[in-house]
Amino acid sequence: MINKIGVEPHVKVEDNVGNSVVYASNGIVCEDTKPNISVVGLQTTETEVENVDFSNAKEFDTSTVYKDNIAYQVSVNDLTENSITSGLTSVVVEIFNEEITDQSEAILSKAGTITKTDGSLGSFGEESAKSVVTGIIPNTYNSDTLYLRVIAYDQAGNIGQTIIEQLKIDTTAPTIKMTSDEIENGAYYNTSKTMIVTYTERHFDTKLATFDIKVNGTEYENVSLDKLLDNKMCKKN
């Protein structure tokens, strides 16, 4: 199909005795281009999207682990290269978790629907083809498998879709546990002892993990895991 606006089909029907009728359309829009969708976002402590400044928003990096709320902004453009558009009818935003397989149950939030305001044929302007949806994914979701899907529909029945896979929100603090069969709390020893340190963190990274410890009255801050495992700090001079 050729993307074209203002096509005016005419149909003439004539019977065997010469009676005829002509049908003339007021015009149609021929457009088979899917709406184009772009999504940007940023981390924020805001809970109301109206208070979010999107000037520093950028495309999502799914390797990033977010601690705070995720604010997102969706832009939809239905214009073709020739500036032809049938006009958007709706834009739907879905947030769901991959562990939920039922689509109806998977929808955790909807940012609302944008409805085309100009319904007159042949007068679709640039503004009626562009829309922006903004929303916030709350940090209460606390999941590594959040998906943000945007679906846009236009008047011609074209459907555009984009999906941001596996957004990560982590609000759980790490836990640390120390155990030993050789050491009693409050006791003194003149020989080396072994202590087991269990560190639990959903996004554990050996290069980023640091510890603040105290050995023989001396405090050490931001000790790397490699240095801690080297065990030199606990030995006598």
Side-chain angles (χ1 to χ4, degrees):
M1 183 181 293
I2 300 175
N3 288 316
K4 189 173 183 181
I5 194 168
V7 177
E8 299 181 2
H10 292 74
V11 179
K12 180 180 179 180
V13 179
E14 184 175 337
D15 63 18
N16 291 331
V17 295
N19 299 312
S20 64
V21 62
V22 176
Y23 170 81
S25 169
N26 290 330
I28 63 174
V29 176
C30 298
E31 189 250 302
D32 62 355
T33 302
K34 297 179 181 179
N36 182 56
I37 302 171
S38 63
V39 183
V40 295
L42 72 161
Q43 184 167 258
T44 180
T45 56
E46 298 287 354
T47 57
E48 300 294 335
V49 69
E50 293 80 7
N51 299 325
V52 177
D53 179 7
F54 283 95
S55 59
N56 294 322
K58 57 184 178 180
E59 292 185 1
F60 281 108
D61 177 7
T62 54
S63 64
T64 299
V65 180
Y66 297 90
K67 176 185 176 183
D68 296 313
N69 299 330
I70 301 176
Y72 62 88
Q73 186 177 76
V74 179
S75 299
V76 184
N77 189 342
D78 193 43
L79 290 175
T80 68
E81 294 181 357
N82 299 324
S83 297
I84 304 300
T85 177
S86 62
L88 293 169
T89 56
S90 65
V91 178
V92 178
V93 177
E94 299 173 349
I95 304 168
F96 61 98
N97 190 303
E98 71 169 0
E99 296 176 357
I100 304 175
T101 56
D102 189 321
Q103 174 86 5
S104 61
E105 297 178 3
I107 300 175
L108 302 180
S109 174
K110 281 191 175 181
T113 300
I114 295 177
T115 303
K116 188 177 69 61
T117 57
D118 187 356
S120 58
L121 184 64
S123 60
F124 303 107
E126 182 175 337
E127 293 303 317
S128 68
K130 291 184 177 179
S131 299
V132 174
V133 180
T134 53
I136 286 183
I137 306 174
N139 60 17
T140 52
Y141 286 171
N142 196 21
S143 171
D144 285 350
T145 54
L146 286 175
Y147 285 65
L148 173 64
R149 176 163 52 201
V150 182
I151 308 173
Y153 305 84
D154 68 13
Q155 280 281 93
N158 301 306
I159 302 174
Q161 176 175 292
T162 188
I163 185 167
I164 310 298
E165 299 183 357
Q166 292 188 316
L167 290 170
K168 304 175 182 66
I169 300 180
D170 185 358
T171 62
T172 305
T175 61
I176 190 166
K177 182 180 180 181
M178 294 183 292
T179 58
S180 177
D181 294 332
E182 303 179 13
I183 301 175
E184 294 182 8
N185 191 32
Y188 295 87
Y189 301 93
N190 61 2
T191 58
S192 298
K193 300 295 181 180
T194 301
M195 176 174 288
I196 300 174
V197 179
T198 304
Y199 179 83
T200 304
E201 162 58 37
R202 195 201 304 173
H203 300 99
F204 183 76
D205 189 331
T206 57
K207 296 180 180 180
L208 299 178
T210 60
F211 301 84
D212 295 340
I213 61 176
K214 185 176 182 178
V215 179
N216 299 327
T218 303
E219 295 183 358
Y220 300 88
E221 296 182 352
N222 298 322
V223 180
S224 67
L225 184 60
D226 290 339
K227 190 173 182 180
L228 188 64
L229 295 176
D230 195 30
N231 201 32
K232 291 182 179 179
M233 292 185 304
C234 299
K235 294 182 179 180
K236 294 183 178 179
N237 294 329

